[in-house]
């Protein structure tokens, strides 16, 4: 069974930085992508960044500000978030599965989420 555990969320002022971590446990297929998604109150969940076979993809809203990386030796996924904006405020989820771009498939594994709050 796959388990994903996020950490690193918090409250920061606009322009600040945070690094999210996602420790993953269990067998994850080499064919699976890993990524970060977020959901703000009253909005649908959206893909933020993904990584598969060493290639990365980003939502337009975070390009140039966020960086996704993966340390396979530590079974950990990261999301470095710089130049944070109030509109980045959301619950951030780590995920693993078969993605189409930054859209999660039906059999995606999800973490419990970590809250990021950016104040102006």
């Amino acid at each position: 069974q796959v388990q994903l555990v996020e950490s690193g969320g918090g409250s920061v002022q606009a322009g600040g930085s945070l690094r999210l971590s996602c420790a993953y446990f269990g067998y994850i297929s080499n064919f699976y992508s890993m990524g970060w998604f977020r959901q703000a109150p009253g909005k649908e969940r959206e893909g933020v960044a993904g990584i598969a076979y060493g290639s990365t993809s980003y939502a337009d809203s975070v390009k140039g500000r966020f960086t996704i990386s993966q340390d396979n030796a530590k079974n950990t996924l990261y999301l470095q978030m710089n130049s944070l904006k109030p509109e980045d405020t959301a619950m951030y989820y780590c995920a693993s599965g078969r993605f189409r771009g930054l859209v999660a498939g039906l059999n995606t594994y999800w973490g419990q989420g970590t809250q990021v709050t950016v104040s102006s």
Side-chain angles (χ1 to χ4, degrees), residues 5 42 49 51 54 83 86-87 90 95 101 105 108 114:
V5 181
I51 186 167
S83 302
E87 51 263 44
T108 296
T114 186

Side-chain angles (χ1 to χ4, degrees), residues 2 24 26-34 51-53 70 96-98 109:
V2 174
Y24 46 92
Y27 173 73
I28 294 179
S29 170
N30 289 334
F31 296 103
Y32 277 18
S33 302
M34 295 204 70
I51 186 167
Y53 306 108
Q70 186 174 13
S96 179
R98 294 183 182 271
Y109 296 103

Side-chain angles (χ1 to χ4, degrees), residues 1-40:
Q1 185 172 353
V2 174
Q3 186 179 11
L4 307 172
V5 181
E6 303 98 332
S7 60
S11 297
V12 295
Q13 290 191 327
S17 298
L18 283 173
R19 188 176 80 156
L20 305 183
S21 298
C22 171
Y24 46 92
F25 307 92
Y27 173 73
I28 294 179
S29 170
N30 289 334
F31 296 103
Y32 277 18
S33 302
M34 295 204 70
W36 291 94
F37 294 74
R38 67 186 181 187
Q39 188 167 19

Side-chain angles (χ1 to χ4, degrees), residues 69-90:
S69 62
Q70 186 174 13
D71 186 335
N72 289 323
K74 296 182 178 180
N75 283 4
T76 303
L77 183 73
Y78 301 100
L79 184 68
Q80 178 66 44
M81 305 185 295
N82 298 328
S83 302
L84 282 161
K85 304 175 181 180
E87 51 263 44
D88 294 318
T89 296

Side-chain angles (χ1 to χ4, degrees), residues 36-38 46-50 56-68 79 88 92 101-103:
W36 291 94
F37 294 74
R38 67 186 181 187
E46 63 174 349
V48 174
T56 58
S57 57
Y58 297 93
D60 288 343
S61 59
V62 306
K63 279 181 182 176
R65 300 189 297 122
F66 291 10
T67 303
I68 188 172
L79 184 68
D88 294 318
Y92 283 71
L102 291 176
V103 177

